[in-house]
Amino acid sequence: MENLMFVYCSCKVIWTLLVTILGYASSLPVGDDSICTAEELAKYSIIFTGKWSQTAFPKQYPLYRPPAQWSSMLGVTHSSDYSMWKKNEYASNGVRDFAEKGEAWVLMKEIEEAGEKIQSVHGIFSAPAISSGTGQTFTELEAHSRHPLVSFVVRIVPSPDWFVGIDSLNLCEGDHWVEEVSVDLFPYDAGTDSGFTFSSPNFATIPQDTVTEITCSSPSHPANSFYYPKLKILPPIAQVTMVKLKKNQLGLSAPYFNLPAKSNEIIDSVSETPLDCEVSQWSSWGLCRGLCRKTGTKIRTRFVLLQPANNGMPCPNLDEETGCEPENCV
């Protein structure tokens, strides 16, 4: 009888231990390769720098109605259970609305629902819009040891459904938080609108495509506003920097003011992107003009589609003349 009681008690202890371990494991981010053992909370200043200048991106650069600018930033700190957006996967309805129209309501609801259902979200943050292609905006965010990942989106304005952002950047390295990190940003297509240019009319992609990175050669179409076939890679269109705040800096914006000089140097040193002249196809030949029984001339023309910029290849001749025999002579 005593042996049976000993076996029963041993099983109960083992079962209690298993339940405790499983309960702890369920509170950790699923799929994380490394567990964050740093102090529970960390605050960061996040600075977004727009580098969308006419020098770096001369093709179809939007100057009017509306000019080049950036939407507000919408971001979240979270665990690996949650994903705001991911390359080569379908954008959610919230990301679609934000990328196409800058509307954040549906995306906010998606974030809140994820936080309530699986407790995968620690906090939401936002930063003001930038009214030009170059400039800065900033805010603060709070990360948690069980929610050390950062994701955000900023819409490119104007555009069909293009944006920049970060997907699940880990601010924790084992037992400590990263002190500072900077990431160059490149344009992405949300896969929900089929426009090629900044000012394309709304034309829904049916069926919806996945989120893809826009490069200097993809989409491979001359109409693409980011199509620069002579480049190997696009220059960064933006940059984000996150700086860990010390406890005596919490709630202060001072770290932001220490960074613009470095950021402005980056903007000023951006290499000029050469843009070659683009011309139309030749028109058909005009009528042959001249005296009867003598060689006459006829002309064909073409026009400039895109003016050259930044020492790109200049435009060729826009008219061409050749000899001909006048017809219908009397």
Side-chain angles (χ1 to χ4, degrees):
M1 185 68 180
E2 290 179 0
N3 290 337
L4 288 174
M5 286 297 295
F6 175 76
V7 170
Y8 170 76
C9 291
S10 299
C11 289
K12 187 173 182 181
V13 170
I14 293 170
W15 175 251
T16 303
L17 285 171
L18 283 171
V19 169
T20 302
I21 293 169
L22 289 172
Y24 173 72
S26 66
S27 68
L28 297 173
V30 176
D32 245 0
D33 294 330
S34 59
I35 302 302
C36 179
T37 57
E39 58 181 337
E40 193 173 59
L41 295 175
K43 282 197 173 183
Y44 285 82
S45 175
I46 177 169
I47 304 99
F48 177 89
T49 304
K51 297 186 176 183
W52 186 17
S53 67
Q54 192 170 11
T55 300
F57 299 92
K59 186 173 184 181
Q60 301 168 3
Y61 188 80
L63 296 171
Y64 313 103
R65 298 181 298 178
Q69 57 190 276
W70 300 96
S71 77
S72 58
M73 172 194 290
L74 182 60
V76 60
T77 52
H78 59 95
S79 69
S80 58
D81 298 331
Y82 172 78
S83 175
M84 175 182 270
W85 66 275
K86 208 169 276 293
K87 183 179 177 180
N88 298 326
E89 293 188 7
Y90 293 104
S92 67
N93 290 336
V95 171
R96 177 199 64 202
D97 286 357
F98 192 88
E100 288 188 8
K101 298 173 283 187
E103 295 178 359
W105 174 252
V106 177
L107 183 54
M108 290 279 289
K109 290 294 291 181
E110 290 174 353
I111 294 170
E112 290 172 4
E113 288 173 4
E116 290 172 0
K117 287 181 180 177
I118 54 178
Q119 298 183 337
S120 58
V121 171
H122 177 72
I124 300 174
F125 58 90
S126 64
I130 303 174
S131 60
S132 61
T134 59
Q136 286 188 323
T137 187
F138 85 105
T139 187
E140 293 180 1
L141 63 88
E142 183 180 80
H144 188 276
S145 58
R146 292 200 301 270
H147 304 86
L149 308 181
V150 176
S151 296
F152 71 81
V153 287
V154 179
R155 181 176 181 249
I156 297 173
V157 183
S159 74
D161 60 342
W162 302 341
F163 69 95
V164 298
I166 278 180
D167 165 37
S168 303
L169 176 68
N170 197 341
L171 294 177
C172 184
E173 292 182 346
D175 62 353
H176 67 278
W177 294 99
V178 175
E179 290 295 326
E180 180 175 344
V181 59
S182 292
V183 181
D184 287 333
L185 304 177
F186 299 89
Y188 280 89
D189 186 320
T192 60
D193 192 291
S194 298
F196 270 124
T197 66
F198 296 120
S199 57
S200 293
N202 185 33
F203 185 62
T205 302
I206 301 175
Q208 181 177 332
D209 204 350
T210 57
V211 174
T212 56
E213 184 176 352
I214 300 172
T215 70
C216 55
S217 57
S218 178
S220 183
H221 194 292
N224 176 17
S225 291
F226 286 111
Y227 186 69
Y228 297 95
K230 289 189 175 181
L231 296 182
K232 291 184 178 179
I233 186 172
L234 284 175
I237 196 170
Q239 184 186 63
V240 66
T241 300
M242 282 168 270
V243 182
K244 185 175 181 292
L245 299 177
K246 295 175 182 175
K247 289 184 179 179
N248 61 356
Q249 291 177 317
L250 300 185
L252 302 177
S253 57
Y256 165 70
F257 296 110
N258 293 333
L259 286 171
K262 185 169 76 171
S263 298
N264 287 337
E265 287 172 12
I266 295 171
I267 294 174
D268 294 339
S269 64
V270 169
S271 58
E272 295 184 345
T273 301
L275 184 65
D276 296 341
C277 177
E278 292 182 14
V279 296
S280 67
Q281 297 293 322
W282 286 109
S283 68
S284 57
W285 287 103
L287 295 174
C288 184
R289 299 182 180 277
L291 300 175
C292 290
R293 293 180 294 279
K294 291 187 178 180
T295 300
T297 58
K298 59 182 178 181
I299 297 174
R300 63 178 181 176
T301 60
R302 56 187 173 185
F303 58 90
V304 175
L305 295 173
L306 192 65
Q307 292 287 352
N310 304 330
N311 298 315
M313 190 174 294
C315 294
N317 291 333
L318 299 180
D319 53 69
E320 188 174 67
E321 185 177 290
T322 190
C324 60
E325 291 296 328
E327 299 177 1
N328 302 323
C329 287
V330 180

